Amino acid sequence: MTETTGEQEQLFPEMGPSFREFIEASPSVMLLIDPETSAIVQANEEATAFYGYPKERLERMGISEINILPPEEILREMTAAKTNRKSFFRFRHRLASGELRAVHVYSSPVQMEGKRLLCSIIQDVTDLKSDEDRAERRRLEEHLARSVALLGAAIESVAEGIIVVDMKGRVLIYNANFERFWNTPSGWSTAFDPEERLTFLSNLARDQEEFMKLIQTVRNQPDLERSGTMHLADGRILEFESRPFRAEETILGRIWSIRDVTEREEARKALETSLREKELLLREIHHRVKNNLQIVASLLSLHLGTAENPKVREALLESRGRVQSMALIHEKIYRSRDVSAVNLEEYVADVVRSVAGAFGLPSRTVTLDIEAEPLPLDIDRAVPCGLVLNELVTNVYKHAFPQGQAGTLFVRIAADREGSAHITIADDGVGLPDGFDPKTLHSLGITIVTALVEQLRGTLRFSSGPSEKGTAVHIRFPLGDDRNGKTPVQTV
C-alpha cells in the first residue's frame, strides 16, 4: 500500500465517535472499510438490510466477499480511493441471497482512531439501469424491426439470391430466390445450426472442398471481398459476390448475393465453340486461297521459263510478283493467331525479300534498310497495300540501279497520331527522269499503284530520295474504317 506523508495526513482530520453515529443514522447504505486488510470495519442498518447479512456477520466480512471483482482489482481501486485519486466507482455486489446488484460507490478516505479508512456510500442502480437498458433495447428492437422489414422488402424485389449472416454464421435474413437457387427446404435457416447449414450447402456443391475453402477464407478475413462462380452438383452454375457489411467501422457480418448464370455460361461456351469452328474454317479458306495462288504463280513461272521475248518475260515476272504478294497475305493470316489482321512489319519484310529473290540480285548489290512498326492491317487493306509495295519495290529493282549498280533500298512504315499509316519506299539510285509527272504518265505500274492507293482511301506523293539522290514514294492511308467518305488520291 502507498504510505501517506504528513502533509496528506493534514488533509484528513481525525474523525471522532460522532462520525460513527453519523454513519449509523444515515439513510444511505454505508460501509467503513480498512483499505489495508479489505475488512469491513462498520456497516449501518441500511447496509445490513441491503446485503441481507446480520450486522455482526457483515462487520466480520471482507469487501472481496461482496464485490465480485478479482482481489487484485479491488486492491487497486481501494488504493486509488485512499490516495484520493478516484472517488466514484461502478461495481457489482453479491447479496447474501447470491443475487448480483449493480451499484454506484462513492468512496472517500477518512482518519479514524489513527488509521486511514474508506467511507463508502453505496447506491443500488440495478433497477434504474435495467429500466434504461430495457427502454434502449425496445428502441433498438423497434428500429431493427423496421430496418429488417425494409431490407426484406428490398431483397425480395431483386433477381439475385441474397443472404445475410452475422460473424458467427447465424442467418439474419435471406430472400426467396436464395432458397430457389439452392433448393433449400422450408425453415432450413432455423432447423440447423450454422455448421450444419454449411454442411447442407456444401453437399449441393460439385466441389465440396473448394466450397468449404471459400467459406473458411472469408471467415479468416472478415474484411475481404470475393466474387466468382461455383458449380453445383446438379450442373447449374452460380455467380456469387461476398462482401462485409458494417456499422460505422465495425464489421457485423457478410452479405452474399447469388445469381444463376447457367444459361449465360452455356451460351458463352456455345459461342466460343462456334467462333473456334468459324476460325478454323476461315484459316482453311486462307490456306486454300494461298495454295491456289501458289499454283497460279507456279504456272507463271513455267511460262516465264519458255518465253523468249523480253517484254513477255517482264510482264510474266511482274504478274508472278503480284500473285505471290497476295499469296503471302493469306499465308500470314493462316499462320497468325489473329485471323482478322496481318502484322505489317513482318509482311513488308517478306514482300521486299520475295521481290529481291525474284530478280536474283545478290544482297551485296542492293542493300535492304527496313524500319517498320508492327501495325495490324485487316485483310481489306492488306491486299491492296501488299500489291502497292510489290509494284514500288519491283520498280526500284528494275529502274533505280541499272547495269548492276550498287545501292540501298529504304522502306519506312509508321503510324501517326491521327491513326494513319505512312509508307515510304525510297532508294539512292539514278532518280526520276527529267520532266517526270505521275499525272501524265500512263504506265501500267503507276496506274495500278494509283488505283490501289485510291482503294486504301490514301494519298500518293513522289519526291527525291535520301540526300536529294534517287527516288522516294510516300503513301498515307487511314488504319481505321474510313470508307463512308471518299478521299481522292493526290499524286504530286
Side-chain angles (χ1 to χ4, degrees), residues 209-228:
E209 183 178 347
E210 190 67 25
F211 177 86
M212 295 304 294
K213 186 184 297 183
L214 168 66
I215 299 300
Q216 195 60 44
T217 298
V218 298
R219 277 182 171 178
N220 294 338
Q221 303 177 65
D223 59 343
L224 182 68
E225 294 189 5
R226 287 291 299 269
S227 62

Side-chain angles (χ1 to χ4, degrees), residues 270-339:
L271 180 60
E272 288 178 350
T273 300
S274 176
L275 287 174
R276 283 195 298 269
E277 291 173 351
K278 287 179 171 59
E279 184 177 319
L280 289 173
L281 179 60
L282 190 56
R283 288 183 187 278
E284 181 62 23
I285 290 172
H286 283 296
H287 184 57
R288 294 192 180 190
V289 170
K290 185 266 298 185
N291 287 343
N292 290 336
L293 289 172
Q294 291 285 29
I295 291 173
V296 174
S298 298
L299 292 174
L300 291 173
S301 296
L302 290 174
H303 285 290
L304 187 62
T306 60
E308 296 180 358
N309 188 316
K311 293 290 185 181
V312 173
R313 289 181 59 81
E314 181 179 325
L316 289 172
L317 183 64
E318 292 178 0
S319 297
R320 187 184 68 177
R322 292 165 188 146
V323 172
Q324 286 178 334
S325 70
M326 289 187 287
L328 273 174
I329 292 173
H330 294 281
E331 174 70 11
K332 287 291 181 185
I333 291 178
Y334 171 69
R335 298 189 180 281
S336 172
R337 290 183 178 180
D338 184 2
V339 296

Side-chain angles (χ1 to χ4, degrees), residues 87-99:
S87 60
F88 174 72
F89 306 86
R90 291 184 176 89
F91 294 136
R92 296 180 72 195
H93 282 185
R94 182 180 286 108
L95 308 185
S97 63
E99 180 185 358

Side-chain angles (χ1 to χ4, degrees), residues 176-215:
N177 277 336
F178 180 86
E179 286 189 321
R180 181 170 62 84
F181 292 156
W182 284 93
N183 292 328
T184 58
S186 178
W188 72 282
S189 64
T190 55
F192 307 132
D193 63 27
E195 294 304 320
E196 289 175 330
R197 281 197 297 274
L198 276 179
T199 301
F200 174 82
L201 294 177
S202 69
N203 288 335
L204 300 176
R206 188 174 70 185
D207 189 335
Q208 298 179 22
E209 183 178 347
E210 190 67 25
F211 177 86
M212 295 304 294
K213 186 184 297 183
L214 168 66
I215 299 300

Side-chain angles (χ1 to χ4, degrees), residues 95-322:
L95 308 185
S97 63
E99 180 185 358
L100 295 178
R101 307 289 287 181
V103 296
H104 288 172
V105 178
Y106 303 85
S107 190
S108 298
V110 296
Q111 199 74 18
M112 289 189 66
E113 302 167 3
K115 296 185 66 175
R116 175 73 59 81
L117 302 177
L118 293 176
C119 178
S120 298
I121 302 173
I122 294 95
Q123 181 184 8
D124 183 6
V125 295
T126 306
D127 293 337
L128 175 63
K129 188 173 185 299
S130 297
D131 289 343
E132 291 175 350
D133 287 347
R134 281 194 289 270
E136 179 66 12
R137 189 180 299 112
R138 282 196 299 271
R139 187 185 68 80
L140 291 175
E141 287 175 350
E142 290 172 359
H143 177 71
L144 180 61
R146 289 193 299 270
S147 299
V148 169
L150 290 173
L151 178 61
I155 68 172
E156 286 296 342
S157 66
V158 300
E160 290 83 1
I162 304 291
I163 185 169
V164 184
V165 297
D166 64 13
M167 295 299 292
K168 295 182 179 179
R170 294 173 298 195
V171 176
L172 301 180
I173 194 170
Y174 60 93
N175 65 357
N177 277 336
F178 180 86
E179 286 189 321
R180 181 170 62 84
F181 292 156
W182 284 93
N183 292 328
T184 58
S186 178
W188 72 282
S189 64
T190 55
F192 307 132
D193 63 27
E195 294 304 320
E196 289 175 330
R197 281 197 297 274
L198 276 179
T199 301
F200 174 82
L201 294 177
S202 69
N203 288 335
L204 300 176
R206 188 174 70 185
D207 189 335
Q208 298 179 22
E209 183 178 347
E210 190 67 25
F211 177 86
M212 295 304 294
K213 186 184 297 183
L214 168 66
I215 299 300
Q216 195 60 44
T217 298
V218 298
R219 277 182 171 178
N220 294 338
Q221 303 177 65
D223 59 343
L224 182 68
E225 294 189 5
R226 287 291 299 269
S227 62
T229 58
M230 60 179 71
H231 296 255
L232 301 189
D234 61 8
R236 289 181 298 130
I237 303 171
L238 300 183
E239 189 175 69
F240 72 88
E241 292 181 10
S242 176
R243 57 173 57 90
F245 75 90
R246 296 176 169 86
E248 297 181 351
E249 296 301 319
T250 303
I251 297 176
L252 302 180
R254 298 194 72 82
I255 299 176
W256 293 77
S257 63
I258 298 167
R259 61 187 67 87
D260 190 338
V261 295
T262 308
E263 293 184 1
R264 187 191 74 187
E265 289 299 304
E266 289 176 349
R268 181 182 62 80
K269 289 179 181 178
L271 180 60
E272 288 178 350
T273 300
S274 176
L275 287 174
R276 283 195 298 269
E277 291 173 351
K278 287 179 171 59
E279 184 177 319
L280 289 173
L281 179 60
L282 190 56
R283 288 183 187 278
E284 181 62 23
I285 290 172
H286 283 296
H287 184 57
R288 294 192 180 190
V289 170
K290 185 266 298 185
N291 287 343
N292 290 336
L293 289 172
Q294 291 285 29
I295 291 173
V296 174
S298 298
L299 292 174
L300 291 173
S301 296
L302 290 174
H303 285 290
L304 187 62
T306 60
E308 296 180 358
N309 188 316
K311 293 290 185 181
V312 173
R313 289 181 59 81
E314 181 179 325
L316 289 172
L317 183 64
E318 292 178 0
S319 297
R320 187 184 68 177
R322 292 165 188 146

